[in-house]
Amino acid sequence: MRGLLLAAALGCSNLNGDSDAPVTIDVFPPAGSGISGQVEIGDTTVLTARALNQQGDSIAAAFVWRTADTGIVFLDPQTGEVSGKQPGTARVQARTGSLISDFITLAVVPMADSLLLIPPDSARLLAADTASAPLVAQLDTLNPDGPLSGRAIVYQVAQFFPAADSASLNGGLFALNATTTSTGQPSVPVYVRKIPGRPHPDSVYVEIRSFRPSGALIPGSGQMFIVRFDP
């Protein structure tokens, strides 16, 4: 009985002790591009963590990062800077003092070398047409560990001539994220369509972009398709 009372007393002491002592760690995967939980082979990104006290408030803490997997390597275990080494998955965790976080899993994916605009880079809508031919972009890699599936290519209506919201991309959108297949091309065709009941523009410029998991633009981003409209 005395032992039980002593244990209870110690437990209460911990709960009512240092309110700024960390009791849990939240670990966040890289999400610079919205591609949460990925790192490219040969690219670097930074993981982040936060320590919480008993009240659930964030408190200052220094972390050391570690992994037992070979798919990634920590370039700096103190800052969480990590680089992809080989395709697959890798589990990582953070530690502050004697407190260790749960594991999170990162997907290690091939590096995209460039974003290609597949010709033709222009299209024409006749008076009877409601939508253009597909605007085809492709993520390309020289890495034999491909494919580049499950990545995102951003299509965005950049300019109208003359200025007017009178044409859109699929489903009435002016920007969309197209998910790639193993070919590196969108799984669903992307096209420009007329908006019923509005005068059509003379032309529409559609910009393509793609991002690394670290948030950096992939070379080839910024190219544009031009879609012209016949009277």
Side-chain angles (χ1 to χ4, degrees), residues 73-91:
V73 59
F74 278 103
L75 303 179
D76 190 336
Q78 276 68 48
T79 66
E81 184 181 15
V82 65
S83 178
K85 289 182 61 180
Q86 60 189 46
T89 58
R91 298 186 306 160

Side-chain angles (χ1 to χ4, degrees), residues 139-171:
L139 283 173
D140 192 37
T141 180
L142 301 177
N143 192 313
D145 295 315
L148 293 176
S149 57
R151 307 291 291 270
I153 299 176
V154 181
Y155 286 74
Q156 183 167 5
V157 175
Q159 297 178 10
F160 293 93
F161 289 101
D165 292 341
S166 50
S168 67
L169 302 174
N170 307 24

Side-chain angles (χ1 to χ4, degrees), residues 117 121-122 156 158-159 205-208 220 222-226:
L117 187 156
D121 61 359
S122 63
Q156 183 167 5
Q159 297 178 10
Y205 285 63
V206 178
E207 182 181 10
I208 54 171
Q223 299 180 81
M224 292 196 187
F225 292 95
I226 305 173

Side-chain angles (χ1 to χ4, degrees), residues 86-150:
Q86 60 189 46
T89 58
R91 298 186 306 160
V92 300
Q93 60 183 174
R95 175 176 60 83
T96 181
S98 60
L99 186 63
I100 301 175
S101 73
D102 292 334
F103 283 103
I104 63 167
T105 300
L106 302 179
V108 186
V109 297
M111 175 175 280
D113 294 295
S114 58
L115 177 62
L116 307 178
L117 187 156
I118 305 300
D121 61 359
S122 63
R124 183 174 295 277
L125 266 71
L126 303 177
D129 294 335
T130 59
S132 71
L135 310 179
V136 184
Q138 177 180 324
L139 283 173
D140 192 37
T141 180
L142 301 177
N143 192 313
D145 295 315
L148 293 176
S149 57

Side-chain angles (χ1 to χ4, degrees), residues 201-214:
D202 293 333
S203 58
V204 171
Y205 285 63
V206 178
E207 182 181 10
I208 54 171
R209 302 189 308 277
S210 192
F211 297 87
R212 303 198 185 286
S214 62

